[in-house]
Amino acid sequence: MTRTSASVDAPVAGAWEGLVTTALLGTDRRTPPGAGPGPEAPVALLDAAAAETVRRRAGLRPARAAERPQAAPEDPRPPLPPAAARRLALLLADRPSPSGGGRRGAAPDLMELLPQWLAAANTRGFAPPPHVLPALLDAARGRTDLRPAVLEFAGPRALWLARLNQDWRFALRSAPGGGAALPHVDDEDRMQRLWQEGLFAERVALLAALRSREPAAARELLAATWATERAEDRLMFLDSLRAGLSPDDEPFLEQALGDRSRNVRATAAELLSALPGSALAARMAVRAEACVAIDHTQTPQAAQTAQFPQTAQSTQIAPTAPTIAVEAPHECDPGMERDGVVAKAPAGRGERSWWFGQLVEAAPLGTWSRRLGGRTPRQIVALPVADDWQSELHAAWCRAAVRQRDAEWSRALLGEPSAPEAGGPGAVSLAERAKLLGTLGAAERAEWVAGFIAAHGLSEAFQLLGVCVVPWSGPLGRAVVDALNIARDAGSYPWSFSGVMGLAERCLDPSEAGRLDALLAVPDEPENASPGAGGYWAEAFHRLVTTLRLRATMAEELGTA
């Protein structure tokens, strides 16, 4: 018999919720609709749930079909060579298992080689195979350090994919304009529309891109809306002026010194102090000069005793040796605050030393030769400083040398690499030395670090190696290998040097692999050696050699060898 429309069961309000409640309570406590208690009740419940599920699905109105995505853009770059494409798939698939106790194992860490592989592929201008794009984006999602290289290599199709997958939206934030083509500087209307109406990330990208092409146009674009921007946005926009910073930016930065936001004022002052010819730099020079002078009244022996009491009795200083005297400011006046001096000192720091360090850091380094008798930076740094002000003065000079990219002052403050690790002419820390090294050329940097390792070994060299250009130069690579060999002969465990060993795997020139073959054998262990250290060292060197040869193969596959 055929049912009429009137006889069709109408859906009962709350029917689904009732079935869920019955399932939660159990059919022995509550029977489903239309069934009695007993062994058939569970079957009746499932039947009723199935019927209600069909009813709920059939009762949905069909939604409007979504628009079909536009086709992925073409990538005009040449494809990867087949061998390099296979290598990329292996690098992306590698998931090294964690090892306990600091032991790294003998197999190369392929994921750690991915940044180097990406750099080489980008240099050659290759395009990735489309099927690896999801894995590339997943890798970049998990490691922010990979994102710039991954997005450059992945190209326009990665941005197309990122619009379709929420997990990859970072690519739209990281890419200039979120993947949209930035307007040309001559396209005034489009550029202004994007600047006025675009998302914050798009505006930052537009400003950065325009700054790299037309610094003056970028500054004028920012100045047009500066007064209406939020403080946090002004700070980000102002930071973009670091690229291509020039004296032409001074009037705008001087105006920013009066900004309502302290962070904006501090950033403007920092940028102005990086321009030694700026008016702010001149004002800071006057203030700093008032704090530092040559003292001809204090006896050299007294200055030596104040700085190095443990050696004062055994060291004779020429009677004519001058001394630097320091008189820190007694207040932080409004003019100093406007020029970027932070008045409130950090916890545990004296106010006067805090103000003094900021003044010296912001003063042009050329100030000091004129102020201190025409002496060179090396001669100035070698002068004794009275009343325990040496560490504060030299630390401020270090920050100034890094900010102003002054290689001559950096050399003076670094001193000789064989100097004591915590001393030297500049008495600077290893972290400060690493920053100073960054102002020197690649060859000079590597030579200095090689000398440091030869004199002090590897225990304090990790920060310094991190600023050296890859691949390491021959002398630097040999210094590292020789120091590792010395550590092995001393009988210590290799994982004490795992950080340096990891750097060596990525940074040693692959041509050094052949020279390391002699280190693969298990050495005879001295009596005082750690148990099993020789075998661990052989394993570590085997890993190093294997990684270097793998890097050489990767370069050949990409055609960069």
Side-chain angles (χ1 to χ4, degrees):
M1 184 177 71
T2 303
R3 288 187 174 186
T4 65
S5 59
S7 64
V8 174
D9 293 339
V12 179
W16 180 256
E17 290 74 11
L19 293 173
V20 171
T21 302
T22 301
L24 291 173
L25 294 174
T27 54
D28 55 339
R29 297 177 60 189
R30 177 173 176 173
T31 57
E40 297 299 322
V43 177
L45 175 63
L46 294 176
D47 288 343
E52 187 62 27
T53 298
V54 172
R55 189 198 309 275
R56 285 159 60 90
R57 290 179 177 174
L60 292 177
R61 292 184 177 183
R64 184 181 298 276
E67 293 184 10
R68 177 179 296 181
Q70 294 181 351
E74 292 295 326
D75 194 333
R77 297 174 296 174
L80 275 175
R86 290 191 293 271
R87 180 70 60 193
L88 174 60
L90 290 173
L91 295 176
L92 291 171
D94 183 62
R95 293 292 184 270
S97 58
S99 54
R103 187 170 178 176
R104 305 175 72 230
D109 187 347
L110 299 184
M111 198 63 182
E112 286 305 311
L113 296 180
L114 182 58
Q116 197 169 101
W117 187 97
L118 288 168
N122 285 332
T123 299
R124 299 282 291 178
F126 287 123
H131 68 273
V132 303
L133 288 174
L136 275 170
L137 289 169
D138 282 340
R141 180 191 178 201
R143 283 183 55 177
T144 56
D145 62 306
L146 288 176
R147 290 181 182 179
V150 163
L151 293 178
E152 180 183 352
F153 177 61
R157 290 180 173 177
L159 301 175
W160 179 84
L161 283 173
R163 294 188 182 94
L164 304 176
N165 187 332
Q166 189 69 29
D167 291 342
W168 299 331
R169 302 292 286 185
F170 69 86
L172 301 179
R173 296 190 298 270
S174 303
L182 292 174
H184 192 272
V185 67
D186 295 332
D187 191 348
E188 180 71 20
D189 291 341
R190 188 167 170 231
M191 186 172 63
Q192 286 292 339
R193 187 164 58 253
L194 181 58
W195 179 249
Q196 297 287 346
E197 302 173 4
L199 299 175
F200 176 69
E202 293 175 326
R203 301 179 73 211
V204 170
L206 172 64
L207 192 64
L210 189 59
R211 182 69 177 178
S212 65
R213 300 192 309 240
E214 296 285 345
R219 184 181 62 250
E220 291 168 4
L221 188 69
L222 177 58
T225 60
W226 180 259
T228 61
E229 304 288 354
R230 299 184 306 167
E232 54 268 34
D233 294 350
R234 293 198 303 276
L235 183 62
M236 291 289 292
F237 292 145
L238 192 63
D239 201 58
S240 69
L241 298 186
R242 295 181 189 276
L245 184 67
S246 73
D248 292 339
D249 299 317
E250 183 178 356
F252 178 77
L253 293 173
E254 274 284 343
Q255 178 187 353
L257 288 177
D259 196 87
R260 302 184 301 275
S261 166
R262 184 181 68 181
N263 290 333
V264 172
R265 295 196 302 270
T267 300
E270 179 188 346
L271 292 173
L272 283 168
S273 67
L275 297 171
S278 68
L280 178 137
R283 295 193 296 269
M284 296 303 251
V286 171
R287 295 174 180 127
E289 284 180 330
C291 299
V292 179
I294 292 292
D295 184 0
H296 295 287
T297 61
Q298 181 172 328
T299 64
Q301 186 65 41
Q304 174 77 357
T305 303
Q307 279 187 246
F308 306 108
Q310 70 277 15
T311 60
Q313 301 302 319
S314 60
T315 305
Q316 296 297 321
I317 304 178
T320 58
T323 300
I324 294 179
V326 172
E327 179 66 24
H330 290 271
E331 65 172 343
C332 182
D333 58 48
M336 290 168 59
E337 288 196 65
R338 182 183 183 277
D339 284 346
V341 176
V342 178
K344 184 174 177 58
R349 183 81 179 273
E351 283 187 333
R352 295 183 64 199
S353 65
W354 172 244
W355 300 331
F356 171 73
Q358 293 178 80
L359 296 181
V360 174
E361 177 183 355
L365 287 164
T367 300
W368 303 112
S369 179
R370 180 180 66 255
R371 176 64 172 164
L372 302 177
R375 293 176 173 83
T376 66
R378 284 189 184 275
Q379 292 170 334
I380 292 172
V381 169
L383 290 174
V385 184
D387 301 327
D388 297 324
W389 280 102
Q390 176 171 303
S391 61
E392 188 69 55
L393 179 60
H394 286 181
W397 278 338
C398 284
R399 297 192 297 273
V402 172
R403 182 183 294 186
Q404 299 172 34
R405 311 300 296 173
D406 193 306
E408 185 179 6
W409 269 89
S410 293
R411 294 186 193 100
L413 291 160
L414 280 165
E416 296 300 320
S418 57
E421 297 172 39
V428 296
S429 68
L430 286 168
E432 289 169 326
R433 286 182 173 186
K435 294 178 182 178
L436 291 170
L437 283 168
T439 68
L440 306 181
E444 185 178 2
R445 201 182 314 168
E447 180 182 4
W448 197 95
V449 176
F452 181 91
I453 292 171
H456 304 294
L458 291 171
S459 60
E460 303 293 341
F462 185 79
Q463 292 182 79
L464 306 180
L465 285 169
V467 300
C468 292
V469 175
V470 177
W472 289 337
S473 67
L476 176 57
R478 288 189 288 274
V480 171
V481 173
D482 290 345
L484 288 171
N485 195 16
I486 291 172
R488 181 189 70 160
D489 292 343
S492 57
Y493 283 123
W495 46 79
S496 300
F497 304 92
S498 59
V500 173
M501 190 69 80
L503 278 178
E505 292 170 7
R506 300 189 295 275
C507 303
L508 264 179
D509 194 315
S511 63
E512 296 286 327
R515 203 169 65 84
L516 298 173
D517 285 339
L519 302 177
L520 301 181
V522 178
D524 296 331
E525 297 180 2
E527 293 183 2
N528 59 345
S530 302
Y536 295 144
W537 272 109
E539 182 181 86
F541 279 119
H542 184 272
R543 174 190 175 112
L544 175 58
V545 170
T546 302
T547 302
L548 293 178
R549 289 183 172 147
L550 176 58
R551 285 175 51 207
T553 301
M554 286 165 43
E556 292 174 0
E557 293 168 348
L558 286 165
T560 59

